Amino acid sequence: MAVFCNSDELHHVMDMLWRRIKDDPGMSGKLVEAKLIVQFRYRDPEGTLTIDCSDGNEMKIIVGPTRLKPVIEMSMKADIAHEFWLGKVNVPMAIISGKIVSRGPTPKALALLPVIRPAYTLYPQVLQDAGKKSA
Amino acid sequence: MLPFTFYSPTKIVFGEDTAYGVGDILKELGGSRPFVVSDANLVAAGVLRAVLESLKEAGLGDPVIFDQVPPDSDLDCVRSASALARQHGCDCIVAVGGGSVIDTGKAANISLVLDGDIRDFEGMHAVPRALAPLVVLPTTAGTGSEVSAVAMVKNKDEHTKLAFGSYYLFPSVAVLDPKLLMSLPPKLTAATGMDALTHAIECFCATTTNPASDALCLESMRMIFQDLCRATMHGDDLDARSSTLIASTMAGIAFTNGGVGIVHALAHTVGARYDTHHGVTNAIFLPYGMIFNMAACAHRFAFAFRSLCAALRAAPEPVGHWFAGASQHDSQAAEQLIEAVRQLHRACRLPTRLRDIGVPALSQDEISELAVVASTDSAIMFNVREASVEDLEYILKGAW
């Protein structure tokens, strides 16, 4: 059974998580410095989240479809995203096996993994605040 | 044990004169209008003769030949190749050459079959469907590209390497004909062989390795240590050529399923910036990368060295001497493996310092910049030990 009941719930949780990342200067500062537009595309349920740091000043979080052209696009099942934020995904293995599909200069996104690692500890609280029972 | 996926769909055909069978192989794959990718030196040296004869005998007409692949293929080359293939209505590709040629064949195949610019498909698993049949004939024994799902293409403007990874990039068939390597000069034989050894050693210790890759790595290491010197010094020794060619392919299958590591990350970075040869650059970084990784995988190096001792202690000199006996202590046995790598490197008469291959003296800022780039290279994510920018700077300084 999928972790997220529907797209609204998925969007709600991911939006809440990224807003907390944005509120953390340690993480958001380095993400903004990278000046990337990264788009996450989810399936089961469907969802799209775009993180736009292209102006080098501010992190913009766009939930749902957008006309912005991402530099990097990462596609995966929503369940994989959930496991990722719990720190349970071996990212290299997930990429090799195709569980995560990346389009664009993947290394630039991978370089940001250590930056967002502190968010693993935020995610269980986000789930709880969003009314999800299991972490 | 960690879960893993092992996938290697490329059919391998090995043997002397197997290049004469390419025409039949293509017909079996449904090809009717072949596009042959190679480089001008190989064409001039007559290395394509067997392939072209075979295509003619199989009734595949006059193939379209693109022989303008440079040593380090780039986006312009790929775009030119695919435009030519499209212009002539080609429906299958034969790549005859080293890693650069084979990677060009793979990347050109993307543009041949799919709409859009080649850059639209940069990334991992970004190619959405099957491509045209691709038959590859390696003329070096090192890159493993003949059995890998990846094509690396240089972006000259940005001094970076773009990675295209997809299961659809696996060649349909790899034809390993050792006779195609007979004209490979000693330096390139040694350099590409050290590239293969780097694949085997890095994969054996990568975070994503698996038992199937491990077995391939160990046998690949054995064959390279045993025969690389001979293939380098005696290029007409078909047994040595065969051994290193098969070893390279085995290491290629291994790292495709198990990853590489810090040595490749550094070699990609330095190669993209200073146009150094990938194999030589790997060879230079290999002992440094192994020393760095010792803290995380001395037991793995020790295991490999003990296995190699069992297999090679009776090998002719100098190889038998390098593997005369292994220490009982893991750290010492691991150091023995690193020393054996150094001995092979020296025996093959390859440069041992970056300064010897055209890398200028670097300022601290330049070293830092290179280290930052290497820290974001996709190869480094498989490395057994996490490397900071400072760690990479230290290795760069040491290797210079």
Side-chain angles (χ1 to χ4, degrees):
Chain A
M1 189 178 147
V3 173
F4 299 102
C5 306
N6 52 47
S7 299
D8 286 345
E9 185 181 63
L10 168 68
H11 281 149
H12 178 58
V13 168
M14 291 302 162
D15 184 35
M16 192 186 289
L17 174 66
W18 277 97
R19 288 192 187 286
R20 291 187 190 181
I21 291 172
K22 185 179 177 180
D23 289 343
D24 180 321
M27 286 190 275
S28 62
K30 287 174 184 161
L31 292 170
V32 166
E33 272 176 30
K35 295 185 180 176
L36 291 173
I37 303 174
V38 182
Q39 186 169 80
F40 299 95
R41 290 189 173 197
Y42 305 113
R43 60 183 189 281
D44 303 331
E46 298 285 317
T48 305
L49 190 95
T50 307
I51 308 300
D52 177 7
C53 299
S54 56
D55 68 4
N57 286 318
E58 188 195 357
M59 178 195 289
K60 301 182 191 83
I61 302 161
I62 301 147
V63 178
T66 171
R67 286 184 179 176
L68 269 181
K69 185 172 166 50
V71 178
I72 300 161
E73 184 186 299
M74 309 286 270
S75 308
M76 67 202 83
K77 277 187 169 182
D79 282 7
I80 294 289
H82 169 75
E83 286 177 19
F84 170 79
W85 289 112
L86 289 173
K88 291 181 179 174
V89 171
N90 178 332
V91 176
M93 190 62 85
I95 288 176
I96 281 184
S97 64
K99 283 183 180 171
I100 298 176
V101 173
S102 69
R103 193 182 290 271
T106 313
K108 286 185 181 173
L110 294 173
L112 297 175
L113 281 177
V115 174
I116 57 171
R117 204 171 281 159
Y120 295 169
T121 57
L122 301 177
Y123 188 60
Q125 187 62 46
V126 167
L127 287 174
Q128 203 173 321
D129 294 349
K132 297 286 294 176
K133 280 181 184 171
S134 64
Chain B
M1 189 175 289
L2 292 171
F4 69 90
T5 302
F6 189 95
Y7 186 52
S8 187
T10 302
K11 180 178 177 180
I12 296 169
V13 178
F14 166 79
E16 292 173 32
D17 293 322
T18 44
Y20 285 99
V22 167
D24 289 338
I25 289 170
L26 274 181
K27 279 174 77 176
E28 278 176 28
L29 293 168
S32 61
R33 183 80 168 123
F35 180 64
V36 178
V37 182
S38 191
D39 72 48
N41 289 335
L42 290 170
V43 173
V47 174
L48 269 69
R49 192 176 303 128
V51 169
L52 298 180
E53 275 185 29
S54 157
L55 295 178
K56 194 175 176 187
E57 275 186 23
L60 293 174
D62 291 328
V64 180
I65 300 176
F66 179 84
D67 66 357
Q68 297 302 308
V69 180
D72 218 358
S73 188
D74 56 56
L75 288 171
D76 293 342
C77 172
V78 169
R79 289 180 180 125
S80 300
S82 56
L84 186 66
R86 272 185 177 227
Q87 182 191 330
H88 290 272
C90 296
D91 62 1
C92 56
I93 297 179
V94 182
V96 187
S100 179
V101 166
I102 294 173
D103 283 2
T104 302
K106 290 177 179 175
N109 201 359
I110 298 174
S111 303
L112 173 64
V113 174
L114 303 173
D115 290 327
D117 184 68
I118 180 68
R119 288 206 70 165
D120 295 342
F121 304 98
E122 182 189 1
M124 297 303 290
H125 302 284
V127 176
R129 60 186 167 88
L131 305 175
L134 171 65
V135 176
V136 299
L137 295 93
T139 59
T140 64
T143 68
S145 185
E146 68 274 14
V147 284
S148 84
V150 174
M152 301 292 290
V153 178
K154 194 170 178 176
N155 180 342
K156 283 190 293 190
D157 299 335
E158 296 174 11
H159 295 291
T160 53
K161 286 259 189 175
L162 310 183
F164 300 84
S166 166
Y167 287 156
Y168 297 123
L169 288 179
F170 276 116
S172 317
V173 180
V175 177
L176 310 184
D177 184 342
K179 283 191 171 176
L180 300 187
L181 280 72
M182 300 282 273
S183 62
L184 189 67
K187 191 178 170 189
L188 274 178
T189 301
T192 50
M194 290 301 289
D195 187 18
L197 182 66
T198 307
H199 293 150
I201 291 176
E202 288 218 281
C203 177
F204 191 69
C205 296
T207 53
T208 40
T209 193
N210 58 75
S213 285
D214 288 352
L216 292 165
C217 290
L218 284 173
E219 181 62 358
S220 175
M221 284 183 226
R222 182 194 68 75
M223 294 169 94
I224 293 166
F225 274 115
Q226 179 179 283
D227 292 313
L228 182 57
C229 273
R230 204 152 51 101
T232 301
M233 303 305 167
H234 308 284
D236 56 352
D237 184 330
L238 268 176
D239 282 342
R241 289 291 193 192
S242 298
S243 178
T244 52
L245 180 56
I246 294 167
S248 163
T249 298
M250 289 167 68
I253 296 169
F255 85 74
T256 295
N257 288 281
V260 280
I262 191 170
V263 175
H264 271 77
L266 286 159
H268 289 155
T269 304
V270 170
R273 173 66 65 177
Y274 298 105
D275 285 326
T276 57
H277 186 275
H278 178 64
V280 178
T281 319
N282 266 337
I284 290 171
F285 280 122
L286 182 55
Y288 294 93
M290 291 174 76
I291 290 167
F292 174 76
N293 281 338
M294 277 269 289
C297 67
H299 63 294
R300 297 286 287 167
F301 290 152
F303 181 87
F305 188 73
R306 290 177 188 128
S307 302
L308 292 167
C309 283
L312 294 173
R313 64 166 55 97
E317 295 304 320
V319 180
H321 181 67
W322 303 340
F323 296 98
S327 168
Q328 300 284 322
H329 303 287
D330 280 358
S331 60
Q332 289 173 4
E335 282 169 7
Q336 285 179 292
L337 180 64
I338 297 170
E339 181 54 25
V341 168
R342 286 201 169 108
Q343 294 284 0
L344 178 63
H345 192 153
R346 279 196 284 268
C348 289
R349 297 174 189 165
L350 286 172
T352 57
R353 296 278 186 175
L354 294 177
R355 71 182 76 148
D356 301 330
I357 58 170
V359 178
L362 302 168
S363 67
Q364 179 58 45
D365 284 350
E366 287 168 325
I367 289 170
S368 298
E369 191 188 327
L370 286 174
V372 168
V373 175
S375 73
T376 66
D377 188 278
S378 48
I380 209 162
M381 67 181 175
F382 306 108
N383 196 60
V384 66
R385 184 180 170 199
E386 201 159 314
S388 66
V389 170
E390 291 75 25
D391 293 327
L392 293 161
E393 286 178 4
Y394 182 79
I395 293 174
L396 280 161
K397 285 176 189 169
W400 191 80

